[in-house]
Amino acid sequence: MPSRPIHEVIAEREFVCVPFDMPVREVTRRLLQAHQSAALVTEHGVLTGIFTERDATFRVLAAGLDADLTPVGAVLTHNPQTITEDKPFGHALHMMFEGGFRHVPVVTPDGRPVGIVTAHDALGLDAIAFGDELLRREEITVIL
């Protein structure tokens, strides 16, 4: 499963992409509606950063900032590590593990966002592998 290309992992999946000057409250509303934990932030269509639920908690709420007046561009993580959709999913997992983060923006070669890979995606793969293992064990039990 980790050898699957990222475009298969993110296919058909909605992601939140917002402009640099959007107020934080509106970004978090969009995240809530989409059931997502991170938004990709762009300037002129090119990825400039990522805004996560941790950023909302620590950089906005804990800092006492007004979410209606604070633009997401002031509190995002600038220049996140990215990956292109032709790379294997295992590469993204390695990036997350080594970097200690849970989201990797997926971009075109010219930096335009096309999706996001999350640590949660790995859990889905583990569940599939676990199901396959249970099926294999059941088949062995029937044979014996």
Side-chain angles (χ1 to χ4, degrees), residues 3-85:
S3 62
R4 281 183 9 181
I6 287 177
H7 68 85
E8 288 181 14
V9 175
I10 66 169
E12 310 285 327
R13 186 179 329 141
E14 178 182 356
F15 69 100
V16 177
C17 190
V18 299
F20 191 79
D21 59 351
M22 181 176 282
V24 167
R25 186 168 318 277
E26 180 58 27
V27 175
T28 57
R29 282 186 185 132
R30 290 183 184 199
L31 289 172
L32 177 64
Q33 289 173 343
H35 303 286
Q36 299 293 316
S37 57
L40 302 182
V41 183
T42 61
E43 280 188 282
H44 309 292
V46 176
L47 183 75
T48 191
I50 186 169
F51 179 78
T52 68
E53 57 196 3
R54 290 180 57 89
D55 294 327
T57 301
F58 299 122
R59 294 181 178 174
V60 180
L61 185 61
L65 298 178
D66 185 334
D68 291 313
L69 299 178
T70 304
V72 70
V75 291
L76 56 72
T77 299
H78 288 276
N79 302 314
Q81 290 187 31
T82 63
I83 196 164
T84 55
E85 60 186 338

Side-chain angles (χ1 to χ4, degrees), residues 96-109:
M96 286 186 265
F97 176 76
E98 289 292 316
F101 43 84
R102 298 176 296 153
H103 306 88
V104 178
V106 182
V107 297
T108 62

